[in-house]
Amino acid sequence: MDVQSSSDIMIIGGNSHPELVALIASRLGVKSGGCAVYHKTNRETMVEIGDSVRGKDIYIIQTGTKDVNNNIMELLIMAYACKTSSAKSIVGVIPYLPYSKQCKMRKRGCIVSKLLAKMMCKSGLTHVITMDLHQKEIQGFFDCPVDNLRASPFLLQYIQECIPDYRNAVIVARNPGSAKKATSYAERLRLGIAVIHGEQKEAESDMVDGRYSPPTLSRSRTMDVSVGVPVHPAKEKPPINVVGDVGGRIAIMVDDMVDDVQSFVAAAEVLKERGAYKIYVLATHGLLSSDAPRLIEDSPIDEVVVTNTIPHELQKMQCHKIKTVDISILLSEAIRRIHNKESMSYLFKNVTLED
């Protein structure tokens, strides 16, 4: 998968995922650029680029990990260092975009993913490649082109090749919000779908966002109901329930990320009670925070399958149920096509907006 001209391309990476940087560089047939990223004694981030970047196309590979704020600063400083050194273009390859869950207004907070997008564009990024954004509308926060790649073809291939008797499976949406993604998987695999309703954990859409306080206005003639503005009724979730038949079937839960696994474990316990004899969890980003490996190990979940957008080797040593799917070939093909000025539509072929 060599690029047409390797003399004007440079792959550099921060400290977030050196294994992925090496895999992508190897697949492209180019050597990773000499870039040292380290922290001084006062914890300031220092970037030293050893090779000339003048007039070159720079691809900075940096993902979001648990050390998220350092990852962001490393990316911004690397991009700005390339910009001030007269690089021709600077493409940020960010498999997991940090703060992507903070893309809605909550109470008196802010939309952090928009702030991050502005910072990235201001630092010098001219293009962004990412994977499975939490909400696809985040692309609109950027002032530069964004390619939101999909990991679903790799996860679909894993289901077909590595799950025995997958024809007897049912795709499960962990909550009604992820039913769209589950439906997309089910249609491609020609399988049924089940939805878990009444989840114990509070969903993002149910959080009080501070917009329900009635304004202090005098009573209007057009609404003379003696109570003013009606009070917005509070949501009450029913007891956890499964809509769909999972008895004697393989249950496959799909989502965009696995971070706090408690909700997945609670869903798996309900599916087990309803007769599912095997339970799989498939997701693009495996954050697996805090004691996720221990919870997965002690749960009814048989396998958690994630891609290598985020390093999780330590978690894999703590839990044998965690499996990895390599997506470096997709990122390297995207870099090759952008560098050679080829169409990216092939990478999105047969992928719908619901993915």
Side-chain angles (χ1 to χ4, degrees):
M1 194 190 288
D2 290 356
V3 291
Q4 286 178 2
S5 173
S6 59
S7 60
D8 58 349
I9 182 173
M10 183 182 287
I11 306 288
I12 63 174
N15 296 323
S16 63
H17 205 338
E19 295 85 4
L20 186 62
V21 177
L23 279 169
I24 292 173
S26 172
R27 289 185 181 277
L28 288 170
V30 299
K31 186 181 176 183
S32 181
C35 179
V37 182
Y38 60 93
H39 298 280
K40 296 176 72 175
T41 52
N42 62 358
R43 302 305 298 159
E44 287 183 1
T45 302
M46 293 287 292
V47 172
E48 292 180 1
I49 301 175
D51 303 322
S52 173
V53 299
R54 184 177 295 274
K56 292 187 178 181
D57 296 317
I58 310 299
Y59 294 85
I60 303 174
I61 301 169
Q62 181 84 329
T63 193
T65 64
K66 292 178 185 177
D67 192 15
V68 59
N69 295 321
N70 274 329
N71 299 150
I72 291 167
M73 280 308 298
E74 288 178 10
L75 173 64
L76 297 176
I77 295 171
M78 282 191 290
Y80 192 63
C82 294
K83 178 183 178 181
T84 54
S85 298
S86 303
K88 182 182 176 184
S89 67
I90 307 163
V91 180
V93 183
I94 314 165
Y96 168 62
L97 185 71
Y99 288 98
S100 60
K101 291 187 88 169
Q102 295 191 47
C103 58
K104 295 179 182 177
M105 182 67 79
R106 297 293 175 201
K107 292 187 180 178
R108 295 171 183 84
C110 65
I111 303 174
V112 184
S113 55
K114 180 173 183 178
L115 169 65
L116 187 59
K118 296 292 183 186
M119 290 165 65
M120 286 180 178
C121 294
K122 203 71 178 174
S123 69
L125 293 184
T126 57
H127 197 136
V128 170
I129 302 171
T130 186
M131 288 194 69
D132 283 331
L133 289 169
H134 186 60
Q135 296 287 342
K136 60 183 179 293
E137 290 81 5
I138 293 173
Q139 295 172 85
F141 295 154
F142 288 83
D143 296 327
C144 64
V146 177
D147 285 312
N148 182 28
L149 304 178
R150 302 288 196 272
S152 53
F154 295 85
L155 298 176
L156 288 166
Q157 185 181 21
Y158 183 92
I159 293 172
Q160 292 170 324
E161 295 181 2
C162 301
I163 297 182
D165 194 23
Y166 82 92
R167 290 288 180 194
N168 188 36
V170 59
I171 305 296
V172 179
R174 188 171 52 91
N175 52 45
S178 58
K180 241 180 191 180
K181 181 181 281 287
T183 302
S184 176
Y185 274 75
E187 287 173 353
R188 294 174 194 282
L189 294 166
R190 278 62 171 171
L191 299 176
I193 184 174
V195 180
I196 296 176
H197 181 51
E199 188 182 4
Q200 295 168 355
K201 185 182 176 184
E202 191 176 39
E204 283 184 25
S205 59
D206 299 333
M207 294 180 185
V208 178
D209 59 7
R211 293 181 295 177
Y212 301 143
S213 302
T216 54
L217 297 174
S218 59
R219 189 175 300 168
S220 170
R221 288 183 302 168
T222 60
M223 186 177 176
D224 191 12
V225 290
S226 74
V227 294
V229 178
V231 177
H232 196 88
K235 290 182 181 179
E236 278 192 27
K237 289 195 171 184
I240 194 162
N241 187 35
V242 180
V243 181
D245 181 25
V246 295
R249 314 282 287 278
I250 299 170
I252 303 174
M253 284 188 276
V254 294
D255 214 328
D256 63 326
M257 70 175 72
V258 180
D259 185 7
D260 180 13
V261 299
Q262 289 179 348
S263 55
F264 287 95
V265 171
E269 288 170 352
V270 173
L271 291 170
K272 201 75 172 176
E273 289 172 10
R274 298 300 171 92
Y277 72 92
K278 267 199 171 182
I279 300 167
Y280 293 82
V281 174
L282 274 72
T284 305
H285 310 297
L287 283 163
L288 303 168
S289 301
S290 59
D291 56 348
R294 180 186 61 80
L295 291 172
I296 293 168
E297 193 70 41
D298 299 337
S299 74
I301 298 171
D302 291 281
E303 270 188 22
V304 175
V305 183
V306 292
T307 69
N308 59 342
T309 55
I310 300 170
H312 50 263
E313 292 305 314
L314 185 62
Q315 289 89 333
K316 284 178 74 174
M317 288 191 285
Q318 296 171 347
C319 177
H320 76 283
K321 294 181 180 180
I322 300 171
K323 311 291 183 187
T324 308
V325 176
D326 180 24
I327 46 80
S328 62
I329 188 169
L330 179 62
L331 293 170
S332 56
E333 176 65 10
I335 292 172
R336 188 192 69 80
R337 285 176 174 270
I338 289 170
H339 184 69
N340 294 342
K341 298 177 176 59
E342 296 177 15
S343 171
M344 292 284 285
S345 60
Y346 175 79
L347 301 181
F348 299 103
K349 193 176 180 182
N350 297 325
V351 176
T352 63
L353 292 175
E354 288 79 12
D355 279 351

